[in-house]
Amino acid sequence: MQKLLLLTLSLCLSAGAQYKKITLTEKFYSGGSAFGDLNGDGINDIVAGSFWWEGPDYKVKHQIRKLVANNKHTFVKDNAYMPEKYSNSFANWVRDINQDGKNDILIIGLPGTSFYAYLNPGTPEGKWQEVVLRDLVDNESPELVDIDGDGTEELICNYDGYFGYAKMNPAKPLEKWTFHKVSAKGKWYKYTHGIGMGDVNNDGRMDMLAGHGWLEQPANAKPDQEWIYHKQQFSNGERHCGAQMFAYDVDGDGKNDLITSGNAHGYGLYWFKNIDNKKFEKQTIMGATPQDNKFGVKFSQLHALKLIDMDKDGLLDIVTGKKYWAHGPKGDAEPMAPAVLYIFKLVRENSKAYYKPIKVDDNSGIGSQVNAGDVNQDGLNDIVVSNKKGVFVFLQKQ
């Protein structure tokens, strides 16, 4: 246990919304983050890689594992990662994986590495037991989703050139999860970008989304059965795919559309209007120039997205931003531009839909993952991010 050296509070004002920014640290610990009650006091805590902070003020930090350094990716400096390099934490979740009544922490490291569970010891001084749930997980946007409706989440990812999911045995949750492929074998590898789940054709079954199209889940699909492939370009190109992907009825016409970023290291935020489940029309929310957005907003490197109703109007909004220094200070598009965090509020007017950008912050951005939800349990949804700028919580205020 140790006291945080830095705790910065500020108000972030944006049209119709107000957020209190809490800076937990300015050190680079993780590209992913999560929240949940880890010490059993009924208050949500924050997780970012190898550390967690006690809510509600996040002044006390605990370490759950050692920082990992190697000559290829992760160099440790001052007990944190150098922002020019990478962390061994791309995605984080809080789940009671072994059903013992205590929330545990799930972490995926760099793409092409393992999926870990860290079991909650129940005391701040206790040791978090590390359990490997998968030896290898590919794709830079893996997510936990209940694919088959059995109440247990699966991990969507790539493996060995296939799109698919890793499934847990609920009776033995700490055994290694079994990967089930749903696609034909392709050239997808550990740094493949873009994956998601959603019911594209409204048949009641979750389909898999990718930058190159969508895979329709057949009725009564068997494990490792190839799903029906529908080719469609949902990105800026084969090697320029985005981040997390979602199926959602943007314009309210009863058909689920597709939402994603066009290039995790370049430009573009889009929704694709579903015409007939076979044809999708690209709608630009934000492009490479200010003229591409009706409000003049432009930023690059949308490496993570979250779809959530931020203002409780019944419509799902997009939370995203800029991944600062994804490949260091000289890589990608506009690496030195402000690390912005935005909400794109969905607006429906006169049978048409558009997204209104609301800037939350300009000195934090996103990582490879962005999380949102009611962190402080006041009925309003908040945002949690961890990246090369540090670890941040944005609490929405009335």
Side-chain angles (χ1 to χ4, degrees), residues 127-302:
K127 182 179 180 181
W128 292 70
Q129 179 187 349
E130 180 182 278
V131 178
V132 177
L133 300 179
R134 285 284 304 166
D135 290 324
L136 190 152
V137 175
D138 292 343
N139 201 293
E140 295 203 16
S141 311
E143 189 55 88
L144 291 175
V145 185
D146 183 2
I147 293 175
D148 50 18
D150 66 352
T152 300
E153 293 174 311
E154 286 77 41
L155 178 73
I156 58 172
C157 60
N158 299 125
Y159 175 68
D160 193 30
Y162 296 95
F163 271 76
Y165 61 93
K167 189 169 182 61
M168 175 182 72
N169 177 358
K172 298 179 180 180
L174 299 183
E175 288 187 349
K176 289 187 178 179
W177 295 20
T178 303
F179 182 81
H180 297 293
K181 58 189 178 184
V182 303
S183 74
K185 189 160 187 172
K187 296 180 180 179
W188 305 295
Y189 69 131
K190 61 183 178 180
Y191 297 126
T192 292
H193 291 68
I195 194 170
M197 295 297 300
D199 185 1
V200 176
N201 54 359
N202 282 310
D203 64 358
R205 296 186 292 273
M206 298 285 277
D207 309 303
M208 185 160 284
L209 319 175
H212 59 281
W214 64 284
L215 294 143
E216 178 184 350
Q217 182 177 174
N220 303 313
K222 296 178 174 60
D224 296 305
Q225 176 181 343
E226 189 173 328
W227 293 6
I228 305 163
Y229 174 54
H230 302 272
K231 186 177 181 179
Q232 177 75 37
Q233 195 64 48
F234 292 127
S235 65
N236 290 352
E238 183 178 351
R239 296 191 62 82
H240 300 283
C241 294
Q244 290 81 8
M245 305 180 70
F246 306 93
Y248 179 66
D249 185 3
V250 173
D251 53 6
D253 66 354
K255 296 190 289 291
N256 282 331
D257 311 297
L258 272 291
I259 301 169
T260 190
S261 60
N263 182 350
H265 299 286
Y267 297 97
L269 178 62
Y270 310 113
W271 70 276
F272 294 81
K273 181 176 174 60
N274 187 345
I275 305 303
D276 56 6
N277 297 327
K278 297 180 181 179
K279 181 181 178 182
F280 293 80
E281 292 182 350
K282 181 179 177 180
Q283 312 293 314
T284 298
I285 302 171
M286 184 179 65
T289 70
Q291 291 74 29
D292 294 326
N293 177 265
K294 64 184 297 183
F295 298 92
V297 173
K298 180 211 74 170
F299 57 87
S300 63
Q301 303 197 57
L302 287 73

Side-chain angles (χ1 to χ4, degrees), residues 27-51:
K27 291 184 177 181
F28 173 35
Y29 290 137
S30 175
S33 55
F35 64 91
D37 180 11
L38 293 171
N39 55 4
D41 63 357
I43 298 171
N44 283 327
D45 311 299
I46 303 298
V47 175
S50 300
F51 300 93

